């Protein structure tokens, strides 16, 4: 495998009141170096849990992570605490949804940035401060020295998110996992941040795993897309192809539900029903109750992931017999 | 003992005289063999002192401290006789005149000489209302205090007063330096101003709430009796148990007035000395003789007869006091005419414990059939126990006694309030002077019925008043004893009080403290003067 | 900032006025008669008692007495004690060093023990360490000061002879030995609350997203706990500690009695028991002022720790 990241049969189960909550029920995923992959799904589909599992961020005392997560050939799930610590920030890094809460409100911004440089880039205090100031300048912050001493609440959301991204890249990781990086931002700012992300991806030649529920942003940033439903990957493929002609009924439904220009005034399409709960055991195709193309035979066991075209996979019994509508 | 200068330069005769003098003095009363001169002694007192001022020294915490620094014209012996002190002799040419001849060569602790001016100033100061001294009453019958020459002071009274002679042995008779007072008028007696006297120790420091330190005065006039210690530290410790702990750990060397329940603890300390003496005080119970049915003497006699004082002595008082035989004047107060007092005590009607007789008495009184009454006391464990004993005894008589417990300050207030709003009240009383009259007049003279008075029983008997007044004008102790005894006989027939016991006062010290003998009149005298530390 | 301070200080005034008036009136409602108590249980005459009452203006109406006292207090003169011939201000000043040092040492010891325990309990939440820490601090809370004090004296003074059983020293340095046991006795009581505050604060803080960020930066655990989480956990602890200090201003009385210390607590209790109005009033005014100032300091401290509050 020349792949950068390879997930095989990844399962994440949380200890809960109703027993074990299966958030991720066997995920297979491949990511090449320098590639942009979008992991798309509704809330509760398990995409964030998948992302966190890669960085080893789950609380091991209450979570069971099984399967295989290989990064550059190394099995991450076998790493000890110290090894994980040196992996984070250098091998792979992560950015979260709400930049406002991602920073410590009581510490000065400059220090929080410099801290990253000291830790992952191994710089000394003086060099780290220089690097941090440089980061401020790069973001177009006027008077970086004054702003260095300011606190997170004195910066705008968009600025914070961009800072967060740069900070995550302080150790020049080969992979950046972005979990809903723009969801908490204004629409106008969203575009800025995405562009910023794209620039950096090019500049550093790193892979970006973009986790989102927003189909609208995947086109600009990711060349490939993986759709997740109820803890499983239901479709993977090139972004353009999947969006143009989805292979899985769930993908089709998702695309239909997207608000489009010109759709003003018409009712938004919804997917009726709810996804299966995390405590429910597997029995048949998980999308069965909500699928407009479902047949009785769809309930016979889990649909396997089959080839739906070159570089395309879909986990649907009826993959080859369906022709689904996408967006142009 | 510092040798006097006997250098070669002196004439031989003088040198010989000095050697003889030193030898004589050395063989006089001085520190016992094995004693070491010097050292610091910690003495525990139970509260902060009121002020460093004899005019304000009238309680058991201020007196021990002030008594080391200033002293009076006279002193009490342990048996209550008046001894010369700063006055080396005195006389009373007539009942209204007292003349004191001052000792020469006495110095204040700053080296200045003490003279008649200082004495007149000190005593007049106590009388001055502006000083607000609660000792002023001791000079109540004084007309004039004047110096007749450098070392003589004459005091003239308005009327004869048998008790006046004692005043000069109390803190009311202490001499302070007039010059020092005038130089420190704004803060005299306070921590910054201090106190200057002629006593064995001089004032060093006072940390309010914490401790007072006094240091040896090497120029003390009565050097063969002491002082020997370098320093005495009076530590202020409010809690009795903590004082005893201090004795255990050695942080306290001596203390006075311990409650009876802690005595076993003191005894368990290795080598600790514990001495108890019968004090000049009474634990008393007073009937409000104006309230029905207690206004009937038969009722009062019935109650006294029903009260098992013996059981109280055995079970509650134990070693903390001496049986009083229902009289306020105990053996410690028989300072003159001892035989007469002894006879009186043996023969007076005591209404001894006799439940059957008690019932008889009650049946023939205005309290027949029983009644309800309240006894007022504070939370002091001893008093509560005694009240409960009385309650139990009276219940057998059909008298329901309710115990009303209030705070210490409230008890004091109501004891001395003119309202006399109680049926029966309990308290303690200590004599100011070693004279029987000191425990008779306050209880029985009708002038004490009103506000501020100590006639707690609201007792008024003109014959008793007359006898008390007569003895106070007399200067013949034999005559006075007769008059006082007659008064007590009359009062005993009326039975306005129950005197439970004469409390003992306990002095405790560690094994290394020597040179102090406890006496009933300890609060008018220096404690540390003769003290030394054994090795 | 200055305007804020000025405003807060001004707010103290009405509170002090009300508090002082309430204490003034309450003191005079007790059944004791200060004139009689001053006369000390000895026989006096009405004339003498009247003289005492006149001297201390006890014969005037309560509002009139209050105004008279207030006028003096504003000029810094809290009057003179009825019982002891000392100025109230001087009495407070003499006892203040011991009380202050006792409070400072107690709080320091309590925090030194509570904060690490709280952090440990939070990080090992639910484990035996957590349960043990919680149980120990609850046991400490339930032990009355005079009990722990006496046990301490028995062990350290009497048996081992390491520490003095009573009294206070002459200066700050000496007092470190004298006040050690009393401070520990007091600290034990404060420990539980401070520990639980730290623990819950830490649990809260560790759950926050910025901790994830810190983890992603590859920071060592110690840095994450101490530099990032602890700072955020401190805010409720600061408030609680301020309240505890305020309580200790006079709450040290039991310890003072047990160890024979001359502090403000026993001064207040003695004064109340003996109807020493000037001391009660003056000391209460002092304690209320101190309490309000402490709260002000706590608020300021909040602003220092949390920049968001500073700018509000």
């Amino acid at each position: 495998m020349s792949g950068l990241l390879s997930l095989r049969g990844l399962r994440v189960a949380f200890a809960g009141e109703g027993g074990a909550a299966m958030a991720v029920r066997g995920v297979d995923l491949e990511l090449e170096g320098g590639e942009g992959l979008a992991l798309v799904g509704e809330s509760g589909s398990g995409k964030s849990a998948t992302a966190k599992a890669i960085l080893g961020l789950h609380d091991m005392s209450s979570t069971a992570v099984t399967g295989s997560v290989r990064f550059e050939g190394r099995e991450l799930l076998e790493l000890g605490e110290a090894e994980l610590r040196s992996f984070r920030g250098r091998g792979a890094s992560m950015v979260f949804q709400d930049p406002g809460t991602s920073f410590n409100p009581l510490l000065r911004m400059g220090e929080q940035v410099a801290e990253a440089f000291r830790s992952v880039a191994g710089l000394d205090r003086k060099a780290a401060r220089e690097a941090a100031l440089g980061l401020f300048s790069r973001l177009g912050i006027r008077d970086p020295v004054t702003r260095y001493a300011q606190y997170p609440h004195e910066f705008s959301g968009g600025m914070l998110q961009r800072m967060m991204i740069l900070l995550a890249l302080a150790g020049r990781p080969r992979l950046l996992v972005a979990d809903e990086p723009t969801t908490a931002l204004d629409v106008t700012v969203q575009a800025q941040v995405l562009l910023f992300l794209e620039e950096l991806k090019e500049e550093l030649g790193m892979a970006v795993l973009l986790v989102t529920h927003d189909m609208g942003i995947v086109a600009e940033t990711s060349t490939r897309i993986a759709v997740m439903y109820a803890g499983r990957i239901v479709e993977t493929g090139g972004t353009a192809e999947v969006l143009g002609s989805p292979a899985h009924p769930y993908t089709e439904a998702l695309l239909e539900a997207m608000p489009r220009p010109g759709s003003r005034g018409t009712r938004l399409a919804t997917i009726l029903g709810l996804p299966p709960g995390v405590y429910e055991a597997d029995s048949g195709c998980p999308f069965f109750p909500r699928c407009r193309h479902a047949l009785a035979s769809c309930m016979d066991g889990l649909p396997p992931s089959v080839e739906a075209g070159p570089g395309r996979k879909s986990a649907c019994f009826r993959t080859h017999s369906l022709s689904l509508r996408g967006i142009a | 003992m510092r040798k006097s200068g006997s250098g070669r330069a002196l004439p031989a005769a003088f040198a010989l005289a000095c050697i003889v003098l030193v030898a004589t003095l050395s063989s006089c009363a001085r520190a016992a063999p094995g004693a070491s001169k010097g050292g610091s002694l910690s003495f525990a007192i139970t509260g902060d002192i009121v002020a460093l001022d004899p005019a304000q020294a009238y309680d058991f915490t201020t007196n021990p401290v002030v008594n080391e620094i200033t002293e009076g014209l006279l002193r009490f012996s342990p048996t209550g006789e008046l001894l010369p002190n700063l006055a080396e002799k005195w006389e009373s040419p007539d009942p209204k005149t007292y003349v004191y001849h001052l000792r020469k060569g006495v110095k204040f602790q700053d080296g200045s000489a003490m003279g008649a001016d200082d004495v007149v100033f000190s005593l007049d100061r106590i009388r001055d209302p502006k000083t607000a001294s609660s000792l002023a009453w001791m000079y109540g019958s004084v007309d004039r205090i004047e110096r007749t020459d450098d070392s003589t002071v004459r005091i003239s009274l308005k009327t004869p007063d048998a008790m006046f002679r004692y005043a000069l042995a109390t803190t009311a008779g202490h001499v302070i330096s007039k010059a020092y007072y005038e130089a420190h008028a704004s803060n005299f007696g306070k921590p910054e101003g201090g106190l200057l006297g002629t006593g064995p120790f001089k004032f060093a420091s006072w940390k309010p709430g914490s401790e007072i330190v006094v240091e040896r005065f090497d120029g003390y006039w009565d050097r063969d009796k002491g002082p020997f210690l370098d320093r005495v530290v009076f530590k202020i410790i409010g809690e009795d148990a903590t004082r005893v702990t201090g004795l255990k750990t050695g942080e306290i060397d001596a203390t006075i007035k311990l409650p009876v329940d802690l005595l076993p603890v003191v005894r368990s300390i290795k080598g600790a000395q514990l001495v108890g003496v019968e004090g000049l005080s009474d634990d008393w119970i007073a009937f409000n003789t104006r309230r029905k049915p207690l206004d009937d003497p038969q009722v009062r006699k019935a109650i006294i007869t029903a009260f098992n004082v013996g059981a109280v002595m055995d079970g509650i008082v134990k070693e903390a006091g001496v049986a009083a035989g229902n009289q306020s004047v105990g053996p410690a107060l028989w300072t003159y005419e001892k035989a007469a007092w002894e006879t009186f005590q043996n023969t007076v009607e005591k209404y001894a414990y006799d439940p059957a007789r008690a019932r008889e008495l009650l049946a023939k009184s205005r309290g027949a059939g029983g009644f309800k009454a309240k006894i007022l006391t504070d939370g002091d464990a001893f008093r509560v126990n005694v009240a409960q004993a009385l309650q139990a005894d009276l219940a057998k008589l059909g008298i329901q006694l309710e115990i009303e417990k209030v705070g210490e300050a409230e008890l004091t207030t109501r004891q001395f309030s003119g309202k006399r709003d109680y049926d029966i009240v309990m308290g303690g009383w200590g004599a100011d002077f070693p004279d029987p009259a000191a425990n008779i007049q306050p209880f029985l003279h009708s002038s004490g019925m009103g506000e501020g008075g100590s006639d707690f029983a609201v007792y008024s008997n003109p014959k008793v008043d007359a006898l008390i007044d007569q003895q106070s004008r007399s200067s013949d102790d034999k005559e006075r004893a007769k008059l006082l005894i007659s008064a007590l006989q009359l009062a005993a027939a009326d039975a306005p009080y129950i005197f439970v016991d004469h409390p003992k006062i306990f002095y405790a010290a560690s094994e290394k403290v020597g040179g102090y003998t406890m006496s009933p009149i300890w609060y008018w005298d220096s404690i540390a003067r003769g003290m030394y530390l054994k090795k | 900032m200055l305007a804020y301070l000025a405003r807060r200080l001004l707010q103290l005034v009405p509170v002090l006025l009300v508090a002082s008036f309430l204490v003034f009136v309450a003191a005079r409602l007790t059944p004791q008669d200060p004139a009689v108590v001053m006369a000390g249980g000895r026989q006096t005459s009405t004339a003498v008692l009247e003289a005492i009452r006149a001297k201390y203006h006890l014969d005037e109406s309560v509002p009139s007495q209050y105004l008279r006292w207030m006028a003096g207090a504003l000029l810094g003169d809290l009057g003179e004690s009825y019982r002891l011939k000392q100025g109230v201000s001087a009495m407070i000043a003499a006892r203040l060093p011991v009380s202050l040092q006792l409070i400072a040492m107690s709080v320091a010891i309590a925090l030194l023990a509570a904060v690490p325990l709280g952090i440990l309990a939070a990080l090992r939440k639910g484990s035996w360490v957590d349960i043990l820490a919680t149980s120990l601090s609850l046991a400490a809370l339930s032990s009355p000061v005079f009990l722990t004090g006496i046990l301490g004296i028995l062990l350290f003074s009497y048996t081992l002879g390491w520490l003095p059983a009573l009294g206070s020293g002459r200066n700050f340095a000496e007092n470190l030995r004298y006040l050690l046991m009393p401070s520990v006795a007091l600290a034990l009581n404060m420990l539980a609350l401070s520990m639980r505050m730290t623990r819950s604060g830490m649990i809260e803080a560790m759950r926050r997203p910025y901790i994830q960020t810190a983890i992603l930066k590859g920071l060592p655990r110690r840095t994450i706990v101490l530099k990032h989480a602890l700072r955020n956990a401190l805010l409720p602890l600061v408030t609680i500690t301020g309240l505890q200090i305020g309580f200790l201003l006079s709450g040290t009385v039991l310890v003072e009695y047990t160890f024979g210390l001359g502090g403000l607590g026993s001064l207040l209790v003695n004064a109340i028991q003996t109807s020493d109005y000037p001391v009660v009033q003056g000391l209460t005014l002092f304690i209320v002022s101190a309490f309000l100032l402490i709260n002000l300091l706590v608020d300021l401290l909040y602003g220092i720790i949390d920049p968001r509050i500073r700018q509000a």
Side-chain angles (χ1 to χ4, degrees):
Chain A
M1 292 271 169
S2 65
L4 181 70
L5 176 71
S6 166
L7 305 178
R8 285 251 172 282
L10 178 68
R11 298 187 127 76
V12 178
F14 298 114
E17 276 142 49
M22 304 290 304
V24 182
R25 300 177 185 227
V27 160
D28 296 339
L29 205 57
E30 305 288 335
L31 185 63
E32 304 290 323
E35 189 179 18
L37 173 65
L39 184 58
V40 174
E42 299 167 81
S43 344
S45 56
K47 52 191 200 301
S48 285
T50 306
K52 280 166 98 168
I54 298 171
L55 271 291
L57 290 177
H58 287 293
D59 177 7
M60 296 323 281
S61 62
S62 58
T63 318
V65 180
T66 48
S68 163
V69 178
R70 297 194 88 92
F71 184 85
E72 291 173 345
R74 264 164 92 200
E75 176 55 62
L76 295 183
L77 296 185
E78 279 164 16
L79 290 187
E81 190 56 44
E83 293 167 301
L84 261 181
R85 228 192 345 255
S86 68
F87 167 68
R88 291 190 200 113
R90 295 202 192 90
S93 193
M94 192 160 168
V95 187
F96 292 103
Q97 175 172 317
D98 184 357
T101 57
S102 296
F103 287 100
N104 192 332
L106 305 188
L107 293 174
R108 295 182 200 276
M109 255 337 277
E111 171 56 29
Q112 296 191 52
V113 177
E115 184 179 53
F117 281 109
R118 286 201 303 273
S119 174
V120 293
L123 300 181
D124 67 30
R125 291 201 88 89
K126 195 154 167 288
R129 186 188 150 90
E130 293 300 319
L133 285 169
L135 192 149
F136 275 51
S137 305
R138 168 151 189 182
L139 290 171
I141 294 175
R142 273 189 292 259
D143 196 3
V145 179
T146 314
R147 298 281 264 165
Y148 188 91
Q150 288 185 334
Y151 292 89
H153 70 275
E154 299 176 84
F155 293 77
S156 72
M159 182 63 72
L160 283 178
Q161 191 63 304
R162 279 180 287 163
M163 206 171 292
M164 194 71 226
I165 294 171
L166 277 184
L167 216 153
L169 301 178
R172 313 214 143 227
R174 269 86 69 204
L175 166 65
L176 177 67
V177 179
D179 188 356
E180 310 269 17
T182 54
T183 309
L185 302 172
D186 290 339
V187 176
T188 43
V189 180
Q190 277 181 17
Q192 271 181 5
V193 172
L194 287 173
L195 196 58
F196 187 67
L197 195 55
E198 204 31 51
E199 279 170 17
L200 287 168
K201 177 168 166 292
E202 291 298 316
E203 194 182 304
L204 296 173
M206 69 180 175
V208 175
L209 176 61
L210 178 66
V211 177
T212 181
H213 66 276
D214 186 353
M215 288 292 242
I217 63 171
V218 302
E220 292 126 62
T221 55
S222 317
T223 47
R224 283 183 56 231
I225 183 171
V227 181
M228 229 174 136
Y229 182 76
R232 287 194 180 79
I233 307 278
V234 294
E235 178 165 3
T236 56
T239 311
E241 288 109 346
V242 172
L243 293 184
S245 57
H248 194 281
Y250 175 61
T251 319
E252 181 192 49
L254 264 186
L255 291 170
E256 243 177 43
M258 263 177 66
R260 262 164 287 198
S263 66
R264 210 167 177 208
T266 59
R267 286 189 96 179
L268 281 178
T270 51
I271 314 174
L272 294 169
L274 291 168
V278 284
Y279 295 107
E280 277 176 44
D282 302 322
S283 57
C285 176
F287 193 59
F288 177 78
R290 307 164 84 188
C291 181
R292 71 160 77 99
H293 307 284
L295 297 176
S297 55
C298 291
M299 279 308 286
D300 290 336
L302 280 171
S305 187
V306 298
E307 276 228 15
R312 292 188 65 171
K313 285 212 166 83
S314 170
C316 177
F317 286 121
R318 304 191 63 200
T319 304
H320 300 295
S321 40
L322 289 176
S323 179
L324 304 172
R325 253 189 330 192
I327 51 173
Chain B
M1 202 67 184
R2 207 158 40 110
K3 289 212 186 74
S4 61
S6 53
R8 289 176 292 270
L10 297 169
F14 188 57
L16 185 62
C18 285
I19 291 167
V20 170
L21 183 65
V22 165
T24 319
L25 288 173
S26 303
S27 63
C28 281
R30 48 104 126 157
S36 66
K37 190 174 167 198
S40 173
L41 182 125
S42 281
F43 192 91
I45 53 178
T46 55
D48 206 354
I49 62 176
V50 172
L52 287 163
D53 182 353
Q56 311 296 343
Y58 198 7
D59 62 67
F60 296 131
T61 50
T62 312
N63 282 30
V65 178
V66 170
N67 285 339
E68 308 301 339
I69 304 172
T70 54
E71 35 178 12
L73 291 182
L74 306 177
R75 249 179 60 230
F76 288 119
S77 79
T79 47
E81 280 107 39
L82 284 170
L83 298 174
N85 202 46
L86 290 181
E88 58 184 0
K89 67 180 199 297
W90 74 100
E91 63 259 358
S92 176
D94 64 76
K96 291 204 282 193
T97 309
Y98 291 81
V99 180
Y100 298 90
H101 303 276
L102 303 177
R103 195 178 300 272
K104 296 197 183 51
V106 176
K107 298 238 187 306
F108 286 110
Q109 287 134 3
D110 65 352
S112 61
M114 178 209 75
D117 284 334
D118 297 300
V119 175
V120 172
F121 173 78
S122 303
L123 303 188
D124 267 336
R125 188 174 161 253
I126 305 256
R127 299 168 61 206
D128 185 351
K130 285 206 290 295
T131 309
S133 167
S134 31
L135 295 157
W137 66 270
M138 294 189 184
Y139 291 103
S141 42
V142 169
D143 181 31
R144 245 183 357 264
I145 302 178
E146 58 205 343
R147 54 164 276 167
T148 49
D149 63 54
D150 272 343
S151 56
T152 316
V153 174
R154 176 200 210 82
I155 302 184
S156 319
L157 305 182
K158 291 180 279 214
T159 58
D161 180 357
M163 302 289 250
F164 171 74
R165 61 191 170 175
Y166 299 112
L168 298 165
T170 72
T171 45
H174 279 209
V175 179
I176 62 173
S177 156
K178 178 168 182 232
Y180 186 87
Y181 179 83
E182 281 162 356
H184 294 87
S186 62
N187 57 13
F188 180 78
K190 298 204 165 84
E192 321 78 51
L195 174 65
L196 190 71
T198 60
F201 291 89
K202 57 181 189 280
F203 170 68
S205 69
W206 176 16
K207 194 158 142 220
S210 213
E211 64 179 28
I212 306 108
V213 181
V214 298
E215 284 166 356
R216 182 176 66 237
F217 172 40
D218 285 311
Y220 184 57
W221 64 268
D222 200 4
R223 279 300 267 154
D224 55 325
K225 293 224 185 44
F228 306 114
L229 297 167
D230 285 334
R231 183 188 321 117
V232 180
V233 178
F234 289 94
K235 289 215 172 123
I236 297 167
I237 300 173
E239 190 69 21
D240 294 326
T242 312
R243 267 196 295 159
V244 174
T245 305
L247 275 173
K248 266 172 114 92
T249 62
E251 288 161 82
I252 299 295
D253 297 309
T255 187
I256 273 183
K257 278 188 103 253
L258 287 164
V260 66
D261 50 333
L262 287 175
L263 297 180
V265 184
V266 177
R267 290 206 180 92
S268 73
I269 301 173
K270 186 170 151 304
Q273 314 165 49
L274 186 61
V275 178
V277 296
E278 184 191 328
L280 306 179
S281 21
D282 306 309
D283 285 317
W284 52 263
I285 300 174
F287 299 104
N288 186 339
T289 56
R290 298 296 156 109
R291 288 221 175 156
K292 294 193 191 327
L294 298 167
D295 55 344
D296 178 0
Q298 294 295 89
V299 172
R300 304 198 291 264
K301 290 175 191 177
I303 290 178
I304 302 177
T305 314
F307 186 38
N308 189 346
V309 181
V312 167
M313 289 304 299
D314 291 336
I316 301 172
V317 179
K318 296 191 258 201
E319 58 177 332
V322 167
N326 210 33
Q327 283 299 316
S328 63
V329 176
L333 269 177
W334 302 345
T335 47
Y336 51 83
E337 297 300 302
K338 197 157 159 221
W341 287 103
E342 203 170 343
T343 309
F344 165 71
Q345 182 68 32
N346 290 339
T347 55
V348 69
E349 171 62 60
K350 296 179 192 58
Y351 305 103
Y353 177 58
D354 187 343
R357 172 134 184 79
R359 256 171 274 139
E360 268 176 50
L361 285 168
L362 191 67
K364 285 190 249 148
S365 73
R366 267 182 269 141
F371 57 89
K372 281 204 209 148
K374 271 204 238 177
I375 180 167
L376 176 67
T377 181
D378 65 6
D380 174 65
F382 172 83
R383 292 202 187 116
V384 170
N385 286 337
V386 173
Q388 284 172 338
L390 182 62
Q391 182 186 52
D393 286 337
L394 291 187
K396 301 194 196 119
L397 219 56
I399 301 174
Q400 271 177 289
L401 188 66
E402 188 190 315
I403 302 176
E404 186 185 354
K405 256 193 283 189
V406 299
E408 196 184 328
E410 189 185 339
L411 180 65
T412 308
T413 301
R414 290 170 66 181
Q415 280 173 345
F416 289 91
S417 153
K419 290 198 287 257
R420 305 284 166 205
D421 60 342
Y422 48 78
D423 296 327
I424 305 175
V425 65
M426 281 185 80
W429 179 266
D432 290 310
F433 307 130
D435 188 311
N439 271 8
I440 296 174
Q441 187 270 357
F443 286 119
L444 297 177
H445 200 281
S446 63
S447 63
M449 287 193 301
E451 188 182 39
S454 50
D455 181 357
F456 306 110
V458 205
Y459 180 69
S460 174
N461 184 331
K463 291 210 199 83
V464 171
D465 283 353
L467 285 165
I468 293 177
D469 291 336
Q470 209 183 335
Q471 65 81 32
S472 85
R473 287 191 296 270
S474 163
S475 45
D476 178 351
D477 281 347
K478 188 157 170 197
E479 190 196 346
R480 289 180 61 223
K482 275 231 289 280
L483 293 166
L484 287 169
I485 289 173
S486 304
L488 285 179
Q489 293 279 25
L490 288 172
D494 289 328
Y497 290 92
I498 307 177
F499 290 99
V500 181
D501 69 305
H502 303 301
K504 274 172 128 177
I505 308 169
F506 289 89
Y507 159 76
S510 77
E511 54 186 335
K512 56 182 175 117
V513 178
Y516 178 65
T517 313
M518 178 67 173
S519 96
I521 322 168
W522 63 274
Y523 44 93
W524 292 132
D525 195 13
S526 156
I527 295 171
R529 178 177 42 216
M531 272 186 173
Y532 57 85
L533 295 170
K534 299 181 211 164
K535 279 204 238 292
Chain C
M1 185 60 164
L2 237 59
Y4 173 73
L5 257 180
R7 204 178 48 233
R8 287 296 301 268
L9 286 171
L10 228 59
Q11 283 171 354
L12 297 183
V13 175
V15 180
L16 286 176
L17 276 175
V18 172
S20 65
F21 187 73
L22 284 175
V23 172
F24 201 88
V25 170
R28 280 156 181 74
L29 287 176
T30 56
Q32 294 117 302
D33 180 345
V36 173
V37 176
M38 269 191 262
R42 294 176 277 274
Q43 45 180 349
T44 47
S45 61
T46 306
V48 172
L49 290 172
E50 291 295 318
I52 293 176
R53 288 187 188 115
K55 174 173 176 185
Y56 293 104
H57 307 288
L58 292 167
D59 44 0
E60 291 175 24
S61 72
V62 173
S64 151
Q65 290 183 49
Y66 176 71
L67 287 169
R68 184 186 291 274
W69 174 73
M70 242 304 145
L74 286 172
L75 295 168
D77 174 16
L78 291 171
E80 194 182 84
S81 157
Y82 284 169
R83 218 169 55 85
L84 310 177
K85 300 279 170 273
Q86 300 169 40
V88 176
S89 317
M91 287 169 80
I92 295 177
R95 290 166 184 255
L96 198 54
V98 168
S99 275
L100 282 180
Q101 189 166 353
L102 186 58
I103 293 173
M105 284 171 70
S106 307
V107 172
I109 293 172
L111 289 178
L112 274 170
V115 172
L117 265 180
I119 295 175
L120 208 59
L123 294 179
R124 307 230 188 297
K125 182 167 99 118
S127 74
W128 66 269
V129 175
D130 185 12
I131 295 170
L132 186 64
T134 308
S135 316
L136 278 179
S137 55
L138 281 178
L141 177 65
S142 325
S143 327
V145 259
F146 49 84
L147 177 63
T148 41
I150 289 171
L151 288 175
I153 292 174
L154 194 63
L155 179 60
F156 294 105
S157 304
Y158 187 55
T159 311
L160 294 171
W162 288 350
L163 292 171
L166 49 84
S168 54
R170 252 142 262 204
N171 52 47
F172 183 85
E174 268 186 34
N175 273 339
L176 289 173
R177 274 187 79 229
Y178 280 92
L179 299 179
L180 183 59
M181 271 199 293
S183 303
V184 170
L186 283 170
L188 285 175
N189 280 3
M190 291 192 281
L191 194 53
L193 195 52
S194 304
M195 187 227 116
R196 295 210 54 92
M197 275 290 146
T198 309
R199 179 183 176 276
S200 56
M202 281 298 293
I203 290 174
E204 254 312 295
M206 290 297 283
R207 278 215 300 246
R208 302 249 147 215
Y210 53 78
I211 296 294
Q212 294 266 324
T213 311
I215 295 174
L216 283 171
K217 285 187 210 170
L219 294 176
R221 191 151 172 78
R222 227 181 92 227
T223 311
I224 296 177
V225 169
L226 294 179
K227 183 176 167 192
H228 283 266
L230 185 58
R231 199 171 297 223
N232 285 268
L234 283 182
L235 295 174
L237 185 62
V238 167
T239 312
I240 280 292
T241 307
L243 287 173
Q244 286 176 327
I245 294 177
F247 171 73
L248 282 178
L249 286 169
S250 58
T252 50
V253 57
L254 285 175
V255 149
E256 289 175 33
Y257 276 138
T258 308
F259 288 91
L261 298 172
L264 294 176
S266 47
L267 180 63
L268 185 60
V269 173
N270 281 340
I272 293 171
Q273 285 173 332
T274 55
S275 281
D276 200 344
Y277 296 158
V279 176
V280 175
Q281 286 149 211
L283 191 49
T284 306
L285 196 65
F286 175 80
I287 290 177
V288 171
S289 312
F291 194 87
L292 292 170
L293 281 172
I294 288 172
N295 277 319
L296 180 56
L297 278 172
V298 166
D299 285 345
L300 289 176
L301 202 57
Y302 244 80
I304 292 174
I305 296 178
D306 191 338
R308 296 171 292 186
I309 292 177
R310 213 186 296 173
Q311 288 171 359

